[in-house]
Amino acid sequence: MVFREIILLFNCCPVKRCSVTCQPVGGDVSRRCGYQAADGESAIRHTAGSQRDALMEMTMTMEMQYNNNNNGYGLEEYMIQEDEWDRDLLLDPAWEKQQRKTFTAWCNSHLRKAGTQIENIEEDFRNGLKLMLLLEVISGERLPKPDRGKMRFHKIANVNKALDYITSKGVKLVSIGAEEIVDGNVKMTLGMIWTIILRFAIQDISVEETSAKEGLLLWCQRKTAPYRNVNVQNFHCSWKDGLAFCALIHRHRPDLIDYAKLNKDDHLGNLNLALEIAEKHLDIPKMLDPEDIINTPKPDERAIMTYVSCFYHAFAGAEQAETAANRICKVLGVNQENEKLMEEYERLASERTPENTMDAMRRKLEDFRDYRRIHKPPKVQEKCQLEISFNTLQTKLHISHRPAFMPSEGKMVSDITAAWQGLEQAEKGYEEWLLSEIRRLERVEHLAEKFRQKAATHESWAQGKDKLLTLKDYESASLTEVRALLRKHEAFESDLAAHQDRVEQIAAIAQELNELDYHAAAVINERCQSICDLWDQLGTLTQKRREALERTEKLLETIDQLFLEFAKRSAPFNNWMEGAMEDLQDMFMVHSVEEVQNLISAHDQFKATLPEADSERQAILSIYNEVQKITQSYGISSKLTNIYCDITPAIINQKWEKVKKLVPQRDGTLHEELSRQHANERFRRQFAAQANAIGPWIQTRMEEIARSSVDLGGTLEDQMTQLKQYEHNIINYKPNIDRLEGDHQLIQESLIFDNKHTNYTMEHIRVGWELLLTTIARTINEIETQILTRDAKGISQQQLNDFRSSFTHFDRGGMETDDFRACLISMGYDLGEAEFARIMSLVDPNGSGTVTFQSFVDFMTRETGDTDTSEQVIASFRILAADKPYILVDELRRELPPDQAEYCISRMPPYKGPDGAPGALDYTAFSTALYGESDL
């Protein structure tokens, strides 16, 4: 992806630069750039006449190499060159000429089946009709009906239908548009045809578990390995002398070519001979021009691959010798396969550890959900695969007469199961801790915010009060002013007493935050201590100031009683309004509809007190109105201010209006919370409805699987069919689990901590679902193992049913020694102590005192079955040896892969028969030794 971003960057650059030096390019920039797409999925469009396209070309080649280095799979791997692209070769039109001829011939080899052909590859595909016909012929499928019009948009529509079909087959066409094909762009057309060849002629080639280009190359190497002067290493220079083509033909049709008479220096003659014979006798049209191949330093890889793939398909039928060789390879690979199974078991056992990526409390719950949804399910499958791999390995070792596999210490299936159970318990405790911690943090943050609000309000009120209390203004005041100061101080004391409750609330909240281990408790404590110290200071200063004022009270004679009364009544009322505003703006935290309804009820009670409070407000304001009447009646200045308090009618009215405004807002907030709690209740009921259905469904499936495992009616294949149906139903039921997971996530995101409508939790459902998946997989594996044992041991279905019936009758959770003796007696065995001891050493070599069903079946099949398989291997070697009783080194190297051929050569003893040839090897002794029937 990064290379495409580089291309976009250079497309936006106003300075055209050289693709190698990144310096401004001078001179002629009109050279046409020939580009051979390297990503395997599509041809990349390069516009003629631009050095910038050369840079894009280099960048895409870099991207191809990047994909190769990262072991990418898909069509990209078919395009990887053994050598780096030569810059001059990319600009040389020789590759275009070779591809044009090869691709045209390849297309015509299919189009002739429909009675047509093409002459000019970029012209004849422009209207899209023959392109659609080509895709229908090679795929055997019908494409949408083409547009028969001759206008440009008709042609574009047809080409788009073909490109859409190619895309539907899993091929990504990057930057190939219908307009380029309709315009006859030869580079785009060749790139598109190459993509079609890759998808329909090369992609499915597979040799020894390789695919595509590697598989085709391996096939060529194996087929031409015995021939002198042939060394196929690639799809360009290895084919220039024509000998590789001749060797392929001679290997399959020796009657067509006398390879011994070929001259390795006659490149042109060899190529012409191979192409003519392929066209005349193998129905492979001439797709290459021998002169072009010889005269080109590096022939075009795409053209060679296309032509060689035709040989592969022509000789695709498996021959008897190859079949025999494959059988021998399979037998020789038993040990390698078993070792891989052992390594896989060890790897899976070592990886059985829980994930832990939670690095912050705010992300812990989300990370835990990701762990449960994303990371753990694959581990469940790995655990199941671990058990299946272990059972399959042991069965294969039994069948091939190999010793049983014993995992390293701590990695038995039972060890893994115990560790898994520990993981489950740890997960449950961790999830409970997460939810408890989130609930605690929610409470802490709520209290911290409440503390800050109340502390800020109190600090704002207390700001500057200590300075006012230390003033000595009474020393220079008149008698009237001193009396006013005293009355004002009384009003302050009233206000101070009203704030006592607020200070206690602040201290209580700070104490609770300490108990809840709030992370900023030190800051809270410091602030609370500051408030309390200031409060104590205010109390001391208040007392001192009163004493000072009382000492001078004797000098005071008059006072404005109305102002005093206003002050005394307005201060508590003002404090009440401030408290009401605090309460109306106070945050709340509820978890149920009932809790919200209780808050609404309390709020309704508060609203019922508003008329009484309004009456008090009117009474306080009437005092002030009386003052106004007196000032008017007696000619007192109307600018007099109340020296007893700072509260004015305007302040009272302003706060009263704010209280009235906050009341409906509080109504709205409470009802919004009520709606949210109703929604949470719906989430609870929705989850409960699904969980109450899923839980019993899982239990029912478990019971069905348990019944099927003990049902002896029908064949193992019938049981397998029934179990596969159960598995299909379980897989199809997975969306119900996913929906329940979605509802559970909504519940957790809404911080819903309980659900009274169901006894099932998500944890119950997860554990049940994982157990169901494990049980069905394990049961299917047991039946597969029984089928494998039955077929490998040569016993009938009825015999296996009899074995199971007898074992089940005496099995009580692991057949003990006495039960096993009774079982053998019931099957007609006359047992003495020595004979029974011998049998026990076979079925219980570890002396555990119990007999497993697999051990029982192995014993019975040895008693009744035919396990001779060495004869099959001997017969296969006889085919490779052309019915001789011995085989030669050259025959082994010709028919077997190099490593397995050398394996046989190094271990086969010399053939000692009178009819042997020099260097003859005894494959009979080697085959019997493979199965322990003889010693080498």
Side-chain angles (χ1 to χ4, degrees):
M1 197 60 173
V2 65
F3 302 104
R4 291 191 174 90
E5 295 172 353
I6 294 175
I7 290 174
L8 294 177
L9 176 62
F10 281 94
N11 282 340
C12 299
C13 180
V15 179
K16 298 180 179 178
R17 296 183 180 271
C18 171
S19 63
V20 177
T21 64
C22 293
Q23 297 298 321
V25 174
D28 182 12
V29 294
S30 62
R31 294 177 60 195
R32 186 173 185 84
C33 172
Y35 177 76
Q36 186 165 2
D39 64 357
E41 294 179 351
S42 63
I44 306 301
R45 179 181 182 184
H46 283 249
T47 308
S50 172
Q51 286 294 336
R52 180 181 60 192
D53 296 327
L55 179 58
M56 291 170 64
E57 182 178 50
M58 180 194 74
T59 306
M60 292 308 296
T61 304
M62 291 170 61
E63 181 177 12
M64 175 273 290
Q65 294 169 349
Y66 172 81
N67 290 334
N68 183 37
N69 291 337
N70 286 273
N71 298 323
Y73 295 95
L75 292 179
E76 295 92 331
E77 64 186 44
Y78 314 153
M79 297 303 302
I80 298 173
Q81 301 282 358
E82 288 78 357
D83 305 312
E84 293 185 357
W85 286 102
D86 184 80
R87 180 66 186 167
D88 295 331
L89 184 59
L90 281 176
L91 299 177
D92 193 332
W95 69 270
E96 177 181 330
K97 178 181 178 182
Q98 294 175 19
Q99 287 189 19
R100 187 192 296 268
K101 177 178 179 64
T102 301
F103 292 0
T104 300
W106 185 86
C107 293
N108 285 334
S109 69
H110 294 283
L111 288 173
R112 68 185 181 184
K113 301 174 185 177
T116 186
Q117 64 179 10
I118 60 173
E119 298 294 335
N120 189 311
I121 196 166
E122 69 266 27
E123 291 294 332
D124 294 348
F125 284 141
R126 290 179 64 181
N127 62 7
L129 296 177
K130 288 189 178 180
L131 178 59
M132 295 179 67
L133 180 61
L134 173 65
L135 291 172
E136 289 187 344
V137 171
I138 63 180
S139 68
E141 300 178 8
R142 295 290 296 175
L143 270 67
K145 185 176 181 181
D147 294 355
R148 293 296 179 181
K150 297 182 179 181
M151 301 297 290
R152 176 178 172 82
F153 71 87
H154 291 121
K155 298 177 182 179
I156 291 176
N158 290 334
V159 174
N160 272 325
K161 292 175 183 178
L163 296 181
D164 290 343
Y165 177 79
I166 297 173
T167 303
S168 70
K169 295 302 179 181
V171 179
K172 296 181 179 179
L173 298 173
V174 180
S175 299
I176 292 184
E179 291 80 5
E180 286 86 356
I181 307 302
V182 173
D183 292 338
N185 187 315
V186 64
K187 303 299 187 299
M188 294 294 102
T189 303
L190 291 176
M192 177 189 66
I193 297 303
W194 174 239
T195 301
I196 294 174
I197 293 172
L198 282 177
R199 173 61 182 83
F200 296 98
I202 298 178
Q203 179 178 346
D204 295 331
I205 293 177
S206 177
V207 177
E208 293 188 359
E209 299 183 356
T210 63
S211 61
K213 177 182 176 181
E214 287 76 13
L216 185 59
L217 186 63
L218 176 60
W219 180 79
C220 294
Q221 291 170 339
R222 289 188 57 185
K223 294 300 181 183
T224 61
Y227 294 88
R228 71 182 189 280
N229 300 323
V230 177
N231 183 16
V232 177
Q233 297 298 326
N234 50 54
F235 285 111
H236 37 83
C237 295
S238 297
W239 305 82
K240 290 187 66 173
D241 59 5
L243 290 178
F245 291 115
C246 294
L248 282 179
I249 296 174
H250 182 267
R251 179 62 184 270
H252 297 88
R253 292 290 303 276
D255 58 310
L256 299 180
I257 289 182
D258 188 352
Y259 188 85
K261 295 182 178 180
L262 297 179
N263 183 359
K264 66 183 180 63
D265 298 322
D266 185 10
H267 297 181
L268 183 62
N270 295 336
L271 286 170
N272 280 323
L273 176 64
L275 268 63
E276 289 173 2
I277 289 178
E279 184 177 42
K280 181 177 180 181
H281 297 283
L282 303 178
D283 197 25
I284 299 176
K286 288 184 177 180
M287 298 183 181
L288 303 173
D289 191 335
E291 290 77 9
D292 290 340
I293 295 177
I294 294 174
N295 297 329
T296 303
K298 186 177 182 181
D300 180 68
E301 186 180 51
R302 297 181 176 185
I304 299 294
M305 283 183 65
T306 302
Y307 189 59
V308 172
S309 70
C310 296
F311 282 87
Y312 176 88
H313 291 294
F315 301 131
E319 299 173 353
Q320 186 180 30
E322 290 180 331
T323 303
N326 289 336
R327 181 184 301 119
I328 293 173
C329 291
K330 183 177 180 180
V331 172
L332 295 178
V334 166
N335 285 339
Q336 298 172 346
E337 181 181 356
N338 289 342
E339 290 173 359
K340 288 180 180 179
L341 286 173
M342 295 175 188
E343 292 172 358
E344 178 68 5
Y345 180 91
E346 294 287 346
R347 183 187 67 81
L348 290 174
S350 299
E351 290 181 352
R352 189 59 54 192
T353 56
E355 300 282 349
N356 186 2
T357 60
M358 293 165 282
D359 55 4
M361 179 56 68
R362 290 183 179 274
R363 293 186 54 84
K364 283 185 184 292
L365 185 57
E366 185 61 32
D367 289 346
F368 185 74
R369 294 196 195 106
D370 289 343
Y371 162 72
R372 297 302 298 270
R373 292 196 308 268
I374 299 173
H375 302 297
K376 185 180 178 184
K379 294 300 180 183
V380 175
Q381 297 298 324
E382 287 184 10
K383 176 176 176 290
C384 180
Q385 184 61 43
L386 175 67
E387 297 178 5
I388 292 174
S389 298
F390 184 84
N391 293 336
T392 302
L393 171 61
Q394 299 294 44
T395 299
K396 288 188 175 182
L397 291 173
H398 276 295
I399 292 173
S400 59
H401 303 292
R402 270 58 167 186
F405 167 57
M406 291 299 294
S408 58
E409 183 178 357
K411 296 179 181 179
M412 292 292 292
V413 172
S414 59
D415 298 326
I416 304 304
T417 301
W420 187 266
Q421 291 174 352
L423 172 63
E424 297 285 356
Q425 291 297 323
E427 285 178 357
K428 181 178 179 182
Y430 184 74
E431 185 175 31
E432 291 174 353
W433 175 80
L434 278 177
L435 295 177
S436 175
E437 186 65 8
I438 287 174
R439 188 178 298 180
R440 184 189 70 80
L441 288 176
E442 183 186 27
R443 173 64 178 169
V444 165
E445 292 299 332
H446 170 76
L447 288 174
E449 183 60 26
K450 191 169 184 178
F451 175 89
R452 285 189 286 269
Q453 288 185 0
K454 287 185 175 294
T457 300
H458 179 75
E459 288 168 346
S460 176
W461 171 85
Q463 185 177 9
K465 292 295 192 296
D466 55 337
K467 294 182 180 179
L468 292 176
L469 291 172
T470 57
L471 290 177
K472 296 184 177 181
D473 51 349
Y474 52 84
E475 293 181 349
S476 60
S478 64
L479 180 61
T480 302
E481 291 171 344
V482 169
R483 289 184 174 180
L485 290 176
L486 181 59
R487 299 301 180 264
K488 182 178 181 180
H489 188 71
E490 292 175 353
F492 173 78
E493 287 180 325
S494 178
D495 196 12
L496 184 65
H499 279 77
Q500 176 68 34
D501 182 67
R502 180 174 297 165
V503 174
E504 293 175 354
Q505 290 179 7
I506 292 173
I509 294 174
Q511 178 62 29
E512 187 170 358
L513 286 173
N514 278 316
E515 293 173 356
L516 291 175
D517 195 20
Y518 180 50
H519 65 89
V523 176
I524 294 293
N525 290 337
E526 183 178 354
R527 192 171 182 181
C528 180
Q529 186 61 45
S530 176
I531 291 173
C532 292
D533 291 344
L534 180 58
W535 178 257
D536 293 337
Q537 183 184 5
L538 290 178
T540 302
L541 293 175
T542 300
Q543 181 63 29
K544 290 181 179 180
R545 185 171 177 82
R546 166 170 283 280
E547 292 172 356
L549 290 173
E550 288 178 346
R551 282 194 302 268
T552 61
E553 187 182 12
K554 295 178 181 180
L555 304 174
L556 303 178
E557 294 180 352
T558 105
I559 191 67
D560 191 341
Q561 293 297 327
L562 290 175
F563 273 167
L564 179 58
E565 184 180 359
F566 177 86
K568 288 183 177 181
R569 296 186 64 175
S570 63
F573 184 73
N574 180 68
N575 189 66
W576 175 86
M577 287 192 296
E578 289 180 349
M581 287 188 290
E582 282 186 19
D583 292 340
L584 290 172
Q585 297 177 89
D586 189 20
M587 296 182 299
F588 54 83
M589 181 179 66
V590 295
H591 299 287
S592 66
V593 174
E594 291 78 8
E595 292 178 2
V596 179
Q597 289 174 340
N598 290 337
L599 290 179
I600 292 175
S601 177
H603 183 60
D604 291 339
Q605 293 176 7
F606 168 76
K607 289 191 294 185
T609 65
L610 290 179
E612 181 180 352
D614 189 40
S615 299
E616 177 65 12
R617 182 183 67 88
Q618 294 293 343
I620 293 172
L621 293 179
S622 66
I623 296 174
Y624 208 88
N625 292 335
E626 186 66 23
V627 171
Q628 296 298 322
K629 292 178 181 180
I630 293 173
T631 58
Q632 293 175 4
S633 301
Y634 295 94
I636 301 174
S637 174
S638 58
K639 296 182 179 180
L640 291 176
T641 57
N642 191 338
I643 62 174
Y644 305 123
C645 67
D646 296 327
I647 301 171
T648 65
I651 293 175
I652 292 177
N653 287 330
Q654 180 184 2
K655 292 184 177 180
W656 177 255
E657 291 301 323
K658 187 173 183 180
V659 169
K660 292 198 298 181
K661 183 179 179 181
L662 290 174
V663 168
Q665 291 180 0
R666 183 73 166 183
D667 283 330
T669 302
L670 289 172
H671 283 90
E672 286 178 2
E673 181 62 25
L674 182 62
S675 298
R676 191 176 75 86
Q677 290 301 328
H678 279 302
N680 289 351
E681 185 66 14
R682 288 194 298 272
F683 288 156
R684 291 187 181 97
R685 293 182 182 275
Q686 181 176 334
F687 177 87
Q690 293 191 76
N692 290 337
I694 292 175
W697 187 91
I698 292 176
Q699 182 62 33
T700 301
R701 301 292 83 77
M702 290 290 293
E703 294 172 355
E704 291 175 351
I705 295 171
R707 287 196 298 271
S708 68
S709 63
V710 299
D711 185 10
L712 299 180
T715 65
L716 291 174
E717 284 75 8
D718 293 337
Q719 294 182 44
M720 178 62 71
T721 300
Q722 185 181 37
L723 289 172
K724 287 291 185 181
Q725 183 61 43
Y726 289 160
E727 183 182 44
H728 178 73
N729 293 340
I730 292 170
I731 293 173
N732 288 341
Y733 199 75
K734 182 60 166 57
N736 295 306
I737 304 297
D738 294 338
R739 283 193 297 272
L740 189 65
E741 285 283 6
D743 291 341
H744 179 64
Q745 182 170 349
L746 288 176
I747 285 178
Q748 288 201 330
E749 289 173 353
S750 300
L751 298 179
I752 300 173
F753 302 106
D754 53 9
N755 193 340
K756 63 182 180 180
H757 305 294
T758 181
N759 292 326
Y760 291 102
T761 64
M762 195 65 236
E763 180 64 24
H764 294 151
I765 298 300
R766 289 188 190 119
V767 171
W769 179 254
E770 292 168 2
L771 180 60
L772 180 61
L773 291 176
T774 303
T775 301
I776 188 64
R778 184 185 297 114
T779 305
I780 290 175
N781 178 249
E782 290 175 356
I783 298 300
E784 289 175 341
T785 301
Q786 293 181 27
I787 293 175
L788 185 62
T789 301
R790 181 198 65 192
D791 295 342
K793 301 297 184 180
I795 61 177
S796 67
Q797 177 67 44
Q798 183 59 44
Q799 286 177 307
L800 187 59
N801 286 344
D802 291 342
F803 296 161
R804 293 174 62 198
S805 177
S806 299
F807 186 87
T808 303
H809 179 76
F810 291 94
D811 180 28
R812 296 179 178 86
M815 187 182 292
E816 297 181 353
T817 304
D818 294 339
D819 295 326
F820 180 59
R821 181 193 296 272
C823 179
L824 291 178
I825 293 174
S826 70
M827 299 181 70
Y829 280 81
D830 185 10
L831 297 174
E833 290 299 327
E835 176 63 13
F836 183 70
R838 182 190 69 83
I839 294 175
M840 283 300 298
S841 68
L842 295 176
V843 298
D844 185 20
N846 297 326
S848 64
T850 59
V851 180
T852 64
F853 178 69
Q854 186 61 48
S855 299
F856 178 71
V857 170
D858 288 343
F859 169 74
M860 295 305 300
T861 52
R862 282 196 295 270
E863 295 291 313
T864 61
D866 181 9
T867 60
D868 183 16
T869 58
S870 62
E871 292 181 358
Q872 295 180 352
V873 179
I874 294 172
S876 298
F877 275 116
R878 185 176 293 112
I879 293 174
L880 301 185
D883 287 331
K884 300 190 299 293
Y886 57 86
I887 192 167
L888 301 177
V889 171
D890 291 342
E891 291 173 330
L892 288 172
R893 288 177 174 163
R894 183 178 68 245
E895 300 298 341
L896 297 178
D899 58 338
Q900 294 192 344
E902 296 304 324
Y903 178 85
C904 294
I905 293 170
S906 64
R907 288 167 174 76
M908 280 189 183
Y911 180 73
K912 299 180 180 180
D915 53 346
L921 300 176
D922 189 346
Y923 60 77
T924 301
F926 172 76
S927 300
T928 55
L930 281 177
Y931 291 88
E933 299 172 4
S934 65
D935 295 326
L936 290 179

